[in-house]
Amino acid sequence: YINVWELQRKDQLQQKIICPGPVTCLTASPNGLYILAGVAESIYLWEVSNGNLLAILNRHYQDLTCLCFTDDSSHFLSGAKDCLALVWNLYNVLQAEPSQIPDPRHVWSRHSLPITDLCCGFGGPLARAATASLDQTAKLWEISSGELLVSVLFDVGIMAVTLDLSEYHMFCGGMDGSIFQVDLCAWPVQRDRTFQTERENGKIFKGHRNQVTCLSVSTDGSLLLSGSHDETVRLWDIQSKQCLKTMNHKGPVTNAFIVLAPANMFNPDGKPSVPLPKFSRHLHGTESSDEPGAEGVTLRLGLHQQEPGQSYLEKAERMYSQMYSTREKNLVGDQEHLTIQVSELEEEVSNLRKINKDLFDFSTRIITKPAK
């Protein structure tokens, strides 16, 4: 099951989503439009607004262990016990026929034991991603090219990994309870390096008595949150490596993270403004998903601005392709091509502003429409 609870009422279960097997990992896109769940070796993708099951991806060979989105929701990453980390383009997944399984953009196969954790930095398709594994390594990758940037070897298996917002440091949680701070900008720059505990003792957080399962850095980069199988969650000062607070639990901690509190989080009278639809157990478009009484509204904003036969997702994919080519090419001596790309990107920004205004006007009319 996937249980959905109301934020203000801890005992108020809003919906129970029945899944075909145990859910091993779960994540939501930053824009709030999609939900990903790992069930055995399959990835399930739902659309939040209508509850449609859009895709079931079967490209892993063993159970999923972790999922995460890029900050712009254009790509997502999956890791599994088969030692593979896959990078998926959301556009390709959404446009694929139900009978076809789209290919991932990248297949990262440099780990030799199961993947335990994933995290993604900022930059959308140009971001960097970190992977952790039981093979005692944490690796940093470039999503645009799929290249391996850094591989760090430790003395223990790594169970959790995260980056600070500036991406100067990578934090890795070990099976022995230690948390290691890796300086990504340390000189000299080496792709393969070994974290030597004796020499870098000042870059280790010590306090957990069992394996670290999750890590999260505050938005200002000063605090680190960690959870462990020793049944505690600890808050650390990154600069001094001192534990500021310990929160005890009645069982192993499997996940914990720092988020900005919503404005109405502590309002006892607050209620969800939009009810969550019933999530489908069948792929959207199949006969079994056509339930009686099912209703839905589809909005296509800025349709008059689209080129004939080209959807907005296709246009977005073309823009991402241009961003990749810009990153990979030597732009010296290619100013004319760069000018064209800049013009197209500026046009895209203008179109997005128009779409945002259309959405705002539409929402305003709906909200202010007098009740019958």
Side-chain angles (χ1 to χ4, degrees):
Y1 297 100
I2 298 176
N3 295 324
V4 183
W5 303 84
E6 287 191 19
L7 188 61
Q8 292 81 5
R9 304 175 184 178
K10 297 180 181 179
D11 58 344
Q12 186 66 42
L13 180 62
Q14 188 174 351
Q15 184 180 154
K16 179 177 287 188
I17 304 169
I18 301 176
C19 297
V23 178
T24 56
C25 48
L26 181 70
T27 190
S29 61
N31 59 19
L33 299 181
Y34 302 99
I35 292 289
L36 283 175
V39 180
E41 70 275 4
S42 301
I43 302 172
Y44 284 70
L45 173 65
W46 281 280
E47 187 173 8
V48 174
S49 61
N50 51 33
N52 288 335
L53 178 59
L54 302 181
I56 302 176
L57 307 175
N58 297 288
R59 287 299 300 268
H60 283 284
Y61 304 104
Q62 294 186 40
D63 291 356
L64 270 292
T65 56
C66 43
L67 291 163
C68 72
F69 272 94
T70 57
D71 62 316
D72 66 344
S73 305
S74 65
H75 292 69
F76 61 90
L77 288 72
S78 61
K81 293 181 179 179
D82 58 7
C83 313
L84 298 178
L86 307 182
V87 180
W88 302 86
N89 185 321
L90 183 60
Y91 159 78
N92 290 339
V93 173
L94 295 177
Q95 293 297 307
E97 295 295 331
S99 59
Q100 298 178 346
I101 300 177
D103 293 327
R105 183 178 289 276
H106 301 299
V107 178
W108 294 334
S109 56
R110 298 288 190 91
H111 285 290
S112 57
L113 287 175
I115 306 291
T116 54
D117 197 16
L118 292 166
C119 78
C120 190
F122 287 90
L126 301 178
R128 299 185 293 180
T131 58
S133 172
L134 292 177
D135 64 6
Q136 302 185 1
T137 67
K139 301 182 187 295
L140 189 69
W141 310 80
E142 187 177 57
I143 293 180
S144 59
S145 64
E147 293 183 1
L148 176 63
L149 302 178
V150 176
S151 179
V152 185
L153 176 65
F154 299 89
D155 296 331
V156 296
I158 302 301
M159 303 299 299
V161 65
T162 193
L163 299 166
D164 62 358
L165 264 66
S166 63
E167 298 183 21
Y168 271 58
H169 303 106
M170 179 169 63
F171 299 92
C172 306
M175 293 192 68
D176 63 349
S178 299
I179 303 172
F180 309 99
Q181 176 181 311
V182 179
D183 295 335
L184 298 177
C185 300
W187 188 264
V189 178
Q190 295 176 316
R191 194 180 75 168
D192 297 297
R193 63 177 79 167
T194 300
F195 190 95
Q196 299 179 353
T197 305
E198 298 79 9
R199 291 176 52 188
E200 304 184 77
N201 191 46
K203 299 178 182 178
I204 302 177
F205 300 80
K206 297 180 179 180
H208 284 297
R209 300 182 304 277
N210 206 330
Q211 68 183 44
V212 177
T213 56
C214 50
L215 295 169
S216 180
V217 180
S218 63
T219 53
D220 63 356
S222 64
L223 300 175
L224 175 69
L225 185 74
S226 63
S228 170
H229 276 188
D230 65 5
E231 304 183 0
T232 66
V233 172
R234 292 175 180 264
L235 190 65
W236 308 82
D237 177 70
I238 292 178
Q239 185 68 27
S240 64
K241 308 295 183 295
Q242 296 297 312
C243 180
L244 303 178
K245 187 175 183 180
T246 300
M247 293 156 276
N248 296 305
H249 291 261
K250 297 181 179 180
V253 177
T254 57
N255 202 1
F257 52 90
I258 299 173
V259 293
L260 297 175
N264 64 340
M265 179 175 179
F266 302 105
N267 182 8
D269 299 325
K271 293 182 179 180
S273 57
V274 179
L276 195 67
K278 183 178 180 180
F279 276 48
S280 174
R281 288 181 290 173
H282 306 283
L283 277 174
H284 179 57
T286 61
E287 295 181 1
S288 57
S289 64
D290 298 331
E291 301 175 357
E295 297 181 356
V297 177
T298 301
L299 298 178
R300 297 192 68 189
L301 303 176
L303 186 61
H304 61 284
Q305 298 176 346
Q306 296 180 8
E307 299 175 11
Q310 186 181 44
S311 69
Y312 175 75
L313 284 174
E314 291 171 335
K315 192 171 183 180
E317 171 62 12
R318 183 170 63 86
M319 300 305 294
Y320 283 134
S321 299
Q322 290 181 354
M323 293 171 69
Y324 294 141
S325 62
T326 301
R327 180 67 174 265
E328 295 168 358
K329 287 182 179 179
N330 181 5
L331 297 178
V332 178
D334 195 15
Q335 294 299 323
E336 182 178 354
H337 181 65
L338 178 60
T339 302
I340 295 174
Q341 288 186 337
V342 170
S343 299
E344 291 182 346
L345 289 171
E346 289 177 345
E347 180 184 356
E348 176 67 8
V349 170
S350 177
N351 289 339
L352 289 174
R353 287 175 177 169
K354 178 64 169 61
I355 290 173
N356 186 59
K357 185 178 183 302
D358 291 344
L359 179 60
F360 177 79
D361 294 340
F362 175 82
S363 304
T364 303
R365 289 197 299 271
I366 293 298
I367 295 173
T368 58
K369 184 178 179 181
K372 295 182 179 179

